[in-house]
Structures are given as C-alpha cells and as structure tokens.
Amino acid sequence: MVANSSGAGVEDRPENGGSDAGGVALKKGPWTAAEDAILVEYVTKHGEGNWNAVQKNSGLARCGKSCRLRWANHLRPNLKKGSFSAEEERVILELHAKLGNKWARMAAQLPGRTDNEIKNYWNTRIKRRLRQGLPVYPQEVQNQSNTVNQPNFQNPPYPQSPCPPSQTLFSSSPQFKPAFSSSLSLFDPITTLSAHQTSPILTPPYQRYKRSGDTGPDFPLPFSQASLPSPLPSSSLPNQFSHISPLQLNPVTFCQNSLPILQTQFKFDQMVPPVLDFSINPELPSSQFSKKTHPYTADNMKINSSSSNCGLLDELIGQAQAMVCNDSSRRQASFGSQEEKHMLNDFELFLSGSSTNPPFVSGPQWADSTSLQPSTGEKPKQEPADDVNSMNEDLSDMLIFHPAPNIPEWYSDNGVSIKQSSSITEDDIGLDIPQLTSSSPVATTTDHGWTPGSSSWDNFSGIC
DNA sequence: AAGAAGTGCAACCGCGTATAT
DNA sequence: CATATACGCGGTTGCACTTCT
C-alpha cells in the first residue's frame, strides 16, 4: 500500500537495515515519507539512473536497487494508482496470453502501470478467479489462440476416447503428439519455442534453464516449478484443475488427462479458462507452486514441493525413479502395451544415466511434428527463441505506447512530467487501450511460421 | 467479539545482462 | 579478455488489512 510511504507505521529502524554500504547501515522495509521526499528531490535534480549514487549523495540510507524500485513503482510521475480498469485487465490478459510472465513488457503497454503492479494483479486477482472456478482468458484471447493453433486443432490432438488415466505417464499413444506443442501454444510463450525448435520435453531438464533473460521467452519448463499444478487445495480449485497431478507435468500425461478439461470447459461462454495443464502457468506464475503438498491422483505418491526449482526437479526425478523402480506391478497395469513398456524402459535408462537420450524422443509420435527438431534432441538452444524474441522486441518497440527510451516521460527539469502523446490520463486509458485492443482483431492465419504468441503481435495497430 | 484464514501489496532477493574499467 | 559495477527483471516474502468462522 501507499500507506507505507505515508510513514504511518514505520519510522527509521536502524535494526531493519540489513546491509551495510560504506559504513552506512542501509535501511530496509517500508519507505517513509521523508525518504520518499529525499528520493524525489534527488531524482528531480539529477535524473534517473546511477541509483547507487543516491545513497551516497543524498544521504538516503537505501541501496540503489531499493531506490530504483521505489521510484519506479511509487514515486515517479504519471503512475496510475488504484484498481485496474476493465480495459486494462483485458490488455493484461491479452498480453499475458502472448508474453507470459513478462511483466515489464506488459507494463510497457500499460501506461502508468508498473510491472510489479501487474504482477501482483495477476498473482492475486487472476488466481482468485481460478480458485473460484471462473475462467481467466477472454473469449477473444481464446479464439485467437485457437485460431492460430488451428492446424493442430483441426486435427484434434485430443482423442475422442482418451486413454485411460492409468496410462498417464508413458503412454506412447500417437495422439499426444501434436497435443503437446499445440497445447503449449495456447497461452504460453513456450509455444514460441515449440513451434520452431526442440520441444522442451526433448531436452533433459538439466539442459534447460530457469531463466534465459531477454534472449528468449521465460517459458515455464516441463519440470520447472512454474509448470506444476496449482498449489491450491483441490477443494478450492476449479474442477478442471483439481484432478491434475504433478505427473501431468509430463506432457504425455498431461495431454491425455487434459482432454476432459477441453471437453468440459470449452463449453463455457464468454470467458474460457486456461485449457491445459501448461496453460496454468501463466495464470499462476509465481505462486502456482508452493510449499503445500500435492496429492497425486494417479498414484498414492505425494510430492512435498519445495520452493526451489532444483529441489523440485530432484524430487520429481526421484519420484519418477521411485515409481519406475518400485512399482513394477502398477507399471504392468498402467503400461500395458509393449510400446509403453519400451518407453518406460527408455525412461528408466534415461534416469539412470545409461542413456543420454531422454525418453519420448524416439518413436513415431513425434515424427511428423513440425514443431520438433530431429529426435536427436540435443539442441536446447535458443536460436529460434532469439529470433522470435527479438522480433517481439522489435515489434514492441513499435507499439504506440512504448515510452521514449532516452528521457523518462515523467521527468523534466522542473520535475513536472512531460507527457508524451500516449500518456497518460484516465481518459487516455479509456481511449487508447481499447483502441489498442479492439483494433487487434483475431489473427486468422500466420503464414510466416510464427507461433501464436508471437504472431499475435500483428494484431496490434501501430505495429504493422 | 476474537481468533483464524485469506488477500493484496510493497519490498526484497537472486540472477542475468549490459556496460565500464 | 577478465573483472567489476549498474541495472533490470521475475519470483518470493513479509505484513497490514479484510473477511470468515
């Protein structure tokens, strides 16, 4: 709250400052009004940047990082406060569908809003909607995604008669083949990758990275924390998510078990919930996986998920190992066919290190997927991601709301903000954002090989 | 009315990247 | 080229406030 800056509760608390810079104990915690005033004055005089100098020159007992954050999120002019408008929410939804958890980029499209604000918004309101069983993405976003994914959905990856849940983990049913990539494409920037390069599943987890910076989409990984089902108690989850087990982070499993989701949830009108397991990621970015325990539905195993990605990965691998090693009887029941057993064996080899090839790579199920690299799969790399990402960057730069790069739009010599054409009044929001979004008709086709997330930029006026 | 649980938000932290030295 | 520094981003945490029981 801004109450923090009111100085209401928290006065300078030396003990609250943890670090020490140059002998000066740097304060942490809520900002006081006095601190705000100092920072505002300093920035007004000296401009932004060189944040570490703030502490040195102004006597403010805050690290530069903290100063930058405070300025950007609370003190800079033209910040919009208060709840998001309906249009802003819609923009956020669209942007999130396209960008994923790229809060800064999203903020660039929402004048006066900060990445932190958007992030908090998403992590709270959207999560709440999910918990309440309310759909998240507007129909148009869904339509857009569906349309862009049409090639895959025309030939539905989701079989009319899904494989029984018992086949969850290693089914080699050819039906899942396109499902993975296409389903990913729906709402997650990972689609940008999946349509061009090796599917994440084709690369061992250790070859993937938690974060790739701006060189590529910050996509959730199949084994990453972000890809896991919501930590929310199943009782409070929408029905469509309550049954998703952590095992379903395996796309093979996921696509099969996601079938019911599709079949049932797409009946909703107006708003459409995230369709698939992987689409959960965007909805519950940071807190979609927490310290709570997630009951397995497929097995009686439980995962005490840690907050660490690595720990989670280890756990998952461990659980998988435990499962494949210790539950042969269940395996027999679950993986009845020779093909499935073969895949299971591959997976065991992979886990044991006897095989460098991750499972799921070989086999006909991937053969005709254009989204995949050859099954050698040893290319976790990001060239396509870079391409697409850079394209997004370029296009983003062309957006009408993109702030001027050199001089902060809110800053002028006298401290009075300099309004750009795009900024930033309540009225502007009511006008420009709708223009932005309403003029973004649903893309019908993409013939440039783009993936849904990236191609949808074309929908924005001012880009093309 | 009181405690518990949930929610929302500001701030912090760690990491990656860019730039300077 | 290597190292240091600054900056930016996304995830996470802490806490005040609100709602529920």
Side-chain angles (χ1 to χ4, degrees), chain A residues 267-326:
Chain A
K267 296 173 183 174
F268 292 132
D269 47 8
Q270 287 300 317
M271 301 281 283
V272 181
V275 182
L276 302 168
D277 184 13
F278 289 93
S279 68
I280 298 175
N281 302 326
E283 283 81 55
L284 306 173
S286 64
S287 17
Q288 61 181 246
F289 204 81
S290 67
K291 307 106 185 170
K292 296 183 180 177
T293 299
H294 306 272
Y296 269 74
T297 55
D299 277 304
N300 292 329
M301 302 191 306
K302 290 178 181 289
I303 284 183
N304 288 322
S305 60
S306 74
S307 59
S308 156
N309 288 343
C310 296
L312 175 63
L313 174 60
D314 291 341
E315 274 188 282
L316 289 169
I317 293 176
Q319 296 286 359
Q321 286 176 319
M323 184 176 72
V324 299
C325 295
N326 300 333

Side-chain angles (χ1 to χ4, degrees), chain A residues 83-153:
Chain A
S83 55
F84 287 85
S85 68
E87 283 304 319
E88 284 177 310
E89 292 181 4
R90 197 159 69 92
V91 171
I92 290 173
L93 286 167
E94 288 193 13
L95 290 175
H96 194 277
K98 299 177 179 73
L99 302 173
N101 295 359
K102 292 294 183 183
W103 312 117
R105 288 193 194 178
M106 293 166 73
Q109 318 301 322
L110 290 167
R113 299 297 187 180
T114 68
D115 54 352
N116 209 34
E117 208 173 3
I118 296 171
K119 181 170 58 182
N120 284 334
Y121 164 78
W122 191 265
N123 286 344
T124 56
R125 290 173 178 82
I126 298 301
K127 188 166 62 180
R128 182 179 56 194
R129 286 184 65 87
L130 275 179
R131 201 167 39 236
Q132 292 171 345
L134 298 172
V136 173
Y137 285 102
Q139 182 68 56
E140 62 191 75
V141 176
Q142 174 64 35
N143 288 343
Q144 183 171 329
S145 297
N146 281 345
T147 302
V148 176
N149 287 278
Q150 205 163 10
N152 285 328
F153 280 91

Side-chain angles (χ1 to χ4, degrees), chain A residues 205 207-213 217-221 224-225 307 309-310:
Chain A
Q207 288 182 315
R208 301 191 293 271
Y209 308 98
K210 172 192 173 195
R211 190 173 157 191
S212 57
D218 190 14
F219 55 85
L221 304 171
S224 74
Q225 163 180 336
S307 59
N309 288 343
C310 296

Side-chain angles (χ1 to χ4, degrees), chain A residues 203-209 313 350 355-356:
Chain A
T203 58
Y206 54 79
Q207 288 182 315
R208 301 191 293 271
Y209 308 98
L313 174 60
F350 173 66
S355 170
T356 56

Side-chain angles (χ1 to χ4, degrees), chain A residues 12-31 35 51-56 58-67:
Chain A
D12 285 357
R13 297 171 298 176
E15 73 279 6
N16 198 19
S19 52
D20 184 273
V24 178
L26 296 181
K27 186 187 168 192
K28 296 163 83 174
W31 281 65
E35 288 176 314
W51 293 108
N52 285 335
V54 177
Q55 184 260 324
K56 298 171 185 172
S58 70
L60 198 56
R62 296 278 184 171
C63 69
K65 213 173 185 178
S66 184
C67 292

Side-chain angles (χ1 to χ4, degrees), chain A residues 18-266:
Chain A
S19 52
D20 184 273
V24 178
L26 296 181
K27 186 187 168 192
K28 296 163 83 174
W31 281 65
T32 67
E35 288 176 314
D36 283 344
I38 293 173
L39 181 56
V40 169
E41 181 183 359
Y42 184 90
V43 176
T44 300
K45 285 180 180 176
H46 300 92
E48 290 185 313
N50 203 9
W51 293 108
N52 285 335
V54 177
Q55 184 260 324
K56 298 171 185 172
N57 299 333
S58 70
L60 198 56
R62 296 278 184 171
C63 69
K65 213 173 185 178
S66 184
C67 292
R68 184 184 67 83
L69 206 63
R70 181 67 182 174
W71 174 258
N73 288 341
H74 299 281
L75 300 179
R76 75 177 202 218
N78 286 346
L79 275 180
K80 283 190 69 179
K81 292 295 181 180
S83 55
F84 287 85
S85 68
E87 283 304 319
E88 284 177 310
E89 292 181 4
R90 197 159 69 92
V91 171
I92 290 173
L93 286 167
E94 288 193 13
L95 290 175
H96 194 277
K98 299 177 179 73
L99 302 173
N101 295 359
K102 292 294 183 183
W103 312 117
R105 288 193 194 178
M106 293 166 73
Q109 318 301 322
L110 290 167
R113 299 297 187 180
T114 68
D115 54 352
N116 209 34
E117 208 173 3
I118 296 171
K119 181 170 58 182
N120 284 334
Y121 164 78
W122 191 265
N123 286 344
T124 56
R125 290 173 178 82
I126 298 301
K127 188 166 62 180
R128 182 179 56 194
R129 286 184 65 87
L130 275 179
R131 201 167 39 236
Q132 292 171 345
L134 298 172
V136 173
Y137 285 102
Q139 182 68 56
E140 62 191 75
V141 176
Q142 174 64 35
N143 288 343
Q144 183 171 329
S145 297
N146 281 345
T147 302
V148 176
N149 287 278
Q150 205 163 10
N152 285 328
F153 280 91
Q154 280 175 336
N155 190 12
Y158 314 100
Q160 292 306 310
S161 52
C163 301
S166 60
Q167 296 182 357
T168 48
L169 189 53
F170 302 112
S171 169
S172 59
S173 168
Q175 290 137 342
F176 78 78
K177 147 201 50 175
F180 177 49
S181 58
S182 64
S183 60
L184 281 172
S185 304
L186 276 177
F187 298 111
D188 196 290
I190 191 173
T191 60
T192 305
L193 296 177
S194 62
H196 288 282
Q197 64 182 99
T198 306
S199 168
I201 193 177
L202 298 180
T203 58
Y206 54 79
Q207 288 182 315
R208 301 191 293 271
Y209 308 98
K210 172 192 173 195
R211 190 173 157 191
S212 57
D214 280 344
T215 57
D218 190 14
F219 55 85
L221 304 171
F223 288 95
S224 74
Q225 163 180 336
S227 297
L228 290 171
S230 167
L232 302 169
S234 58
S235 59
S236 62
L237 277 171
N239 291 337
Q240 65 266 33
F241 300 125
S242 59
H243 71 286
I244 299 175
S245 78
L247 284 177
Q248 290 177 296
L249 54 85
N250 183 317
V252 178
T253 299
F254 142 73
C255 76
Q256 292 168 341
N257 286 352
S258 63
L259 173 62
I261 300 176
L262 281 172
Q263 289 176 331
T264 58
Q265 297 304 320
F266 268 106

